[in-house]
Amino acid sequence: MALTPKPPLSITTLANLTILSLLFFSGPSHSTQPLDKTQEQRFVDCFGDLIHDPLLNFTILHALGTPSYEEYFKAPIKNLRFINSTSNKPSFIMTPTSLQQISNAFVCARNASFHIRARSGGHDYEGLSYISQSSNPYILIDLNSSSIVIDIEKGNAMVQSGATIGELYYEIAQKSNTTAFPAGICPTIGVGGHFIGGGIGALMRKYGVSADNIEDVRVVRPDGALVGRINMGEDHFWAIRGGGSNFGIITAFQIRLVSVPPIVTTFAITKTLEQGAARLVERWQHVAPKLDDDAFIRIIALAADDKESNEKRTINATFQCLFLGGASKLVAIMDEKFPELGVKPEDCEEMSWIQSVLDFAGYGKNASLEILKSRKPQFEGSYKGKSDFVKEPISEKGWNEIWRFMMEGKDEPVVMIMDPWGGKLDEIDEGDIAFPHRKGNLYNIQYFMRWPEKDEQVAKRHLDWMRKFYELMTPYVSKSPRAAYLNYKDLDLGWNKETSTNYSDASVWGEKYFLNNYKKLAYVKGKVDPYSIMWDEQSIHPLL
Ligand SMILES: Cc1cc2nc3c(=O)[nH]c(=O)nc-3n(C[C@H](O)[C@H](O)[C@H](O)COP(=O)(O)OP(=O)(O)OC[C@H]3O[C@@H](n4cnc5c(N)ncnc54)[C@H](O)[C@@H]3O)c2cc1C
């Protein structure tokens, strides 16, 4: 069932709704409804009372076991290893058509002792937006309002959480060929989950991550209040920019757009071990994080059969570049800073920024822009991601050890994606916003594996191998803590057991994701969501 996208509410409306919702807010008691009703019935009754329209319940609340529930549950799932999962599913899926309904859902969830989770694009690596490893009952709020309003003159845009970054890129391109936004590579990612975890991509060395470019938000706080930057408090606004799904449901973001030249240049050069990939990757670590911030060169490395001999394995390392300028300037920079790669004019292609988005996403620069609006994933199957940050270059000897392990895993199609840090990321302090990964990092590694089967046994084999690979990487990556990127969520780092985990247990993964910002985030959680209504396996434990 299609929902009509709703424009974001103005601050005045928000303020009125805030007062309204505070009137509804029932105070500290966790359960104010008669206990002889089922938990589900208490929620439905409370919700019906608040909206004064019992019929609406049937169109926006979908109870577990009903046909509409199955449809809403499965459609946005991208990671197919979770589609038939026996893990705990939400008791209700709510498909809201107004902010007030989300506010009411929080109030009633608290009355009936449910947790709340949000889903925007459904890409969560561990499926935490729609399944749970714990038996705690919860309600899923599916955010499918996706309006995007671009204001080129003001240099900003208002984007609802249910939009994808592909839709955002598309709408920007309709208005200007010299305007862009720094966010991820894969167009089907949801704005909601992506921005609150950071948002890394090809423009981050020039402009920072997505979260660095958020000017304002529309949030339904766990107490039911509807707030924006003007009345939410700076700490709450700070926490939303990188602190993940802990601080209410963000329904819309006001983002600062950035400038790009009319012509940008890309290249993708693949080298095998026989062509010197090990030496080039070693060299790249010294060069890429220090290049001019107009240049972004990442590496995508994977093991493959050697074309010359089927018996032999090799590594294909692809050096993929986005340069904010013309080809001749890029070739001159590469000649000076990275001559070993041997970039020639014929390796480079000039294009508009939006074509580079298509190119990086794997569609090719001449694909129709309409493809950016497609929500169909480019790959249908299962996946697992893990991440690391590298602070000291890994030696060629180290790389040979890494390549050996990857080549031996013949049935383990892992891809190492290495995104260079430096540039703008070095200029922003760790504590400026909640996203903490700044100066001192050379690059981020994502270990990503995907496979076609949904089967749990197949998944287990791949997951076990990924864990061994992660273990092998220990000496080469950041330590104390071994940092990880929240958007590449990884339950191997640890998780909350039911609700019994405390602050210090949760710091095992919390400090990996948030470094020195973790404690402040826990205090903000204590203020904004003291009862952990927004709870999941890796949510932050509130400090009061
Ligand atoms: C194929 C693929 C490519 C990717 N490429 C990149 C990349 O280039 N760069 C990068 O940085 N990341 C990338 N990612 C990771 C991606 O940024 C995260 O998975 C992100 O969390 C996805 O957001 P979503 O809205 O699609 O997911 P969801 O599953 O909907 O949400 C993810 C998390 O955010 C919470 N959440 C969602 N919406 C809201 C909201 N409105 N308010 C509060 N909480 C909310 C959910 O509860 C969940 O915890 C990629 C992921 C995949 C699968």
Side-chain angles (χ1 to χ4, degrees), residues 118-125 129 143 161 184-186 189-190 192-194 196 199-200 245 248-250 383 485 487-489 534 536:
R119 177 165 66 182
S120 290
H123 284 70
D124 193 273
Y125 276 25
S129 49
L143 294 155
S161 290
I185 310 286
C186 167
I189 300 171
H194 186 58
I196 60 174
I200 69 176
S245 188
I249 291 188
I250 295 81
Y383 53 84
Y485 174 37
N487 272 351
Y488 302 151
K489 210 170 280 165
M534 292 201 75
D536 69 30

Side-chain angles (χ1 to χ4, degrees), residues 13-48:
T13 321
L14 282 169
N16 291 339
L17 286 174
T18 303
I19 294 162
L20 192 68
S21 63
L22 284 174
L23 288 175
F24 284 136
F25 181 53
S26 56
S29 110
H30 208 111
S31 194
T32 58
Q33 301 258 339
L35 286 172
D36 51 349
K37 294 183 182 177
T38 64
Q39 196 177 8
E40 287 77 10
Q41 194 56 52
R42 278 188 285 144
F43 178 80
V44 171
D45 288 354
C46 168
F47 196 73

